[in-house]
Amino acid sequence: MPDVVTSTEPQETGPEGAIPAAILAVLRRAGFVAADIEPCFVALTGGVASDIWKVEAGGTPIVVKRALSKLRVAAEWLAPVERNAAEADWFRVVGTIVPEAVPKILFHDAPSGLFAMPYFPPQRYPVWKAQLRDGAVDQHFAARVGATLGRIHAATMDSAPLAERFANDETFHAIRLEPYLEATARRHTTLADRLMELSRATLACRQALVHGDVSPKNILAGPAGPVLLDAECAWYGDPAFDLAFCLNHLLLKCVWNRAAAPRFLAAYDVLREAYFGEIPSAVAAGIEARTARLLPALFLARIDGKSPVEYITTDADRDLVRSAAIPLILAPAAQLSAIRNSWASTLQNDGQGLT
């Protein structure tokens, strides 16, 4: 059994014995559950794309993850289950670059579409999203997230073997570009041409290894720095997507916890700066320009796409996001500081100000 431990998201106790018999059989064959032991399973909740269980069988607990073909959201959202193998492979590759920032893959069973990884106890590895929700915004940690992401992108740039290994265009389109950019285009006909062109341009860019879901809910604040989880969208493509996806959450959380908005904006700044501190200068301007195009589109997508954030619940707040995003989609900025400043101005002028 492993001697390291990891957690995915805030967990809640699920029904005992909820794991399918076929999955238990795989665990027994792999040696993680002895034939004479009845293991304890706890369903971990919070994600929409996979079944995830904490498994205890007399030793150190592990986490077992199996991808779903239909995601748990209100809209129809289908995705290839082969992404489970790509996720495990992303962890293996990134483990050679920043080993402290990813869990180790303990085993992967392709026929059943699952893998096992260690379990980190939440007392030592809290989820970054929970900290941000409570207004605990550690600027040093935000910089560590940016630097880690930059190191991954820089180390994997212009790699023909990785481009072939992670040629997951179909999956990335199905679980990122279609539900975010293209679904939003269908709701905003005046933006449709721009959003569809942005989707095509993003899919056509192949520059570095992309995680695809760099969200605070997928980042643990570990004692040695950030631990990245949930790489189901792994793809060799545009690193700007990762940076835009992460920065987007820091902007949106200004609405969730208004009192912490200045700290979220400061975290945006330090994360961006730390990221580009790891990126070769020859490509930095291009990545920043593409990130600046993607960011307002993702900002709007988390209101009007297939996966709206759960914490923006009023029409007034949704309109606030739209009022900031739409002009920047129509007239893209070239620098990320311009987007940050525009959003700060929107917050300042909406009647509540920046506290």
Side-chain angles (χ1 to χ4, degrees):
M1 296 293 288
D3 57 3
V4 199
V5 288
T6 189
S7 104
T8 55
E9 297 186 12
Q11 58 264 19
E12 299 172 1
T13 300
E16 302 300 319
I19 196 167
I23 303 304
L24 177 55
V26 171
L27 295 177
R28 291 194 189 280
R29 288 197 302 271
F32 284 93
V33 178
D36 60 344
I37 291 180
E38 286 301 319
C40 175
F41 300 106
V42 176
L44 304 184
T45 64
V48 301
S50 296
D51 286 326
I52 309 174
W53 299 275
K54 176 186 174 185
V55 182
E56 296 186 83
T60 303
I62 64 172
V63 170
V64 175
K65 183 173 183 180
R66 180 182 64 172
L68 297 171
S69 59
K70 184 180 185 299
L71 278 61
R72 298 187 185 99
V73 294
E76 181 76 3
W77 187 350
L78 305 177
V81 296
E82 292 80 8
R83 68 189 188 275
N84 181 271
E87 178 179 14
D89 209 18
W90 189 90
F91 287 136
R92 293 189 187 101
V93 171
V94 173
T96 67
I97 303 166
V98 282
E100 72 284 357
V102 292
K104 180 181 178 181
I105 296 299
L106 303 175
F107 83 99
H108 174 237
D109 186 76
S112 56
L114 65 81
F115 64 78
M117 60 185 180
Y119 174 82
F120 289 111
Q123 297 83 359
R124 293 188 65 215
Y125 295 86
V127 178
W128 194 27
K129 179 179 179 179
Q131 294 181 327
L132 297 178
R133 175 199 62 209
D134 297 337
V137 189
D138 184 333
Q139 305 299 335
H140 176 70
F141 184 80
R144 291 286 298 276
V145 172
T148 299
L149 191 59
R151 288 180 63 189
I152 295 167
H153 291 165
T156 59
M157 281 187 180
D158 302 321
S159 169
L162 288 178
E164 181 177 1
R165 187 169 168 181
F166 290 91
N168 301 324
D169 289 19
E170 180 181 352
T171 298
F172 194 80
H173 179 266
I175 60 180
R176 278 297 169 265
L177 299 178
E178 193 284 327
Y180 287 89
L181 302 184
E182 296 179 15
T184 304
R186 291 192 290 273
R187 291 196 60 178
H188 291 269
T189 56
T190 58
L191 304 175
D193 288 346
R194 292 176 182 268
L195 292 174
M196 293 302 295
E197 189 279 328
L198 183 58
S199 177
R200 291 189 294 269
T202 301
L203 193 62
C205 179
R206 293 176 177 82
Q207 188 176 32
L209 184 59
V210 173
H211 177 285
D213 197 3
V214 186
S215 164
K217 73 180 177 63
N218 295 330
I219 300 174
L220 304 180
V227 178
L228 306 182
L229 303 175
D230 291 342
E232 293 188 14
C233 309
W235 166 65
Y236 199 87
D238 191 351
F241 189 91
D242 275 347
L243 182 59
F245 203 85
C246 191
L247 292 175
N248 185 40
H249 281 278
L250 293 175
L251 297 184
L252 288 166
K253 283 168 180 53
C254 293
V255 179
W256 195 16
N257 186 335
R258 193 57 175 269
R263 298 193 293 278
F264 292 137
L265 294 175
Y268 175 105
D269 292 337
V270 299
L271 193 154
R272 171 181 53 83
E273 291 168 6
Y275 174 84
F276 284 108
E278 302 290 338
I279 297 297
S281 58
V283 297
I287 293 175
E288 180 165 19
R290 297 197 306 277
T291 305
R293 289 188 66 203
L294 277 163
L295 181 50
L298 293 173
F299 199 45
L300 184 62
R302 297 315 300 261
I303 299 299
D304 292 328
K306 285 187 178 180
S307 182
V309 291
E310 81 285 358
Y311 52 81
I312 295 181
T313 58
T314 70
D315 287 341
D317 283 343
R318 284 188 282 266
D319 285 342
L320 187 70
V321 172
R322 293 180 185 116
S323 71
I326 291 173
L328 288 166
I329 295 171
L330 292 172
Q335 295 181 323
L336 290 167
S337 59
I339 295 175
R340 177 249 196 251
N341 293 338
S342 177
W343 178 231
S345 178
T346 298
L347 293 172
Q348 185 70 49
N349 295 329
D350 80 331
Q352 296 185 57
L354 279 172
T355 58

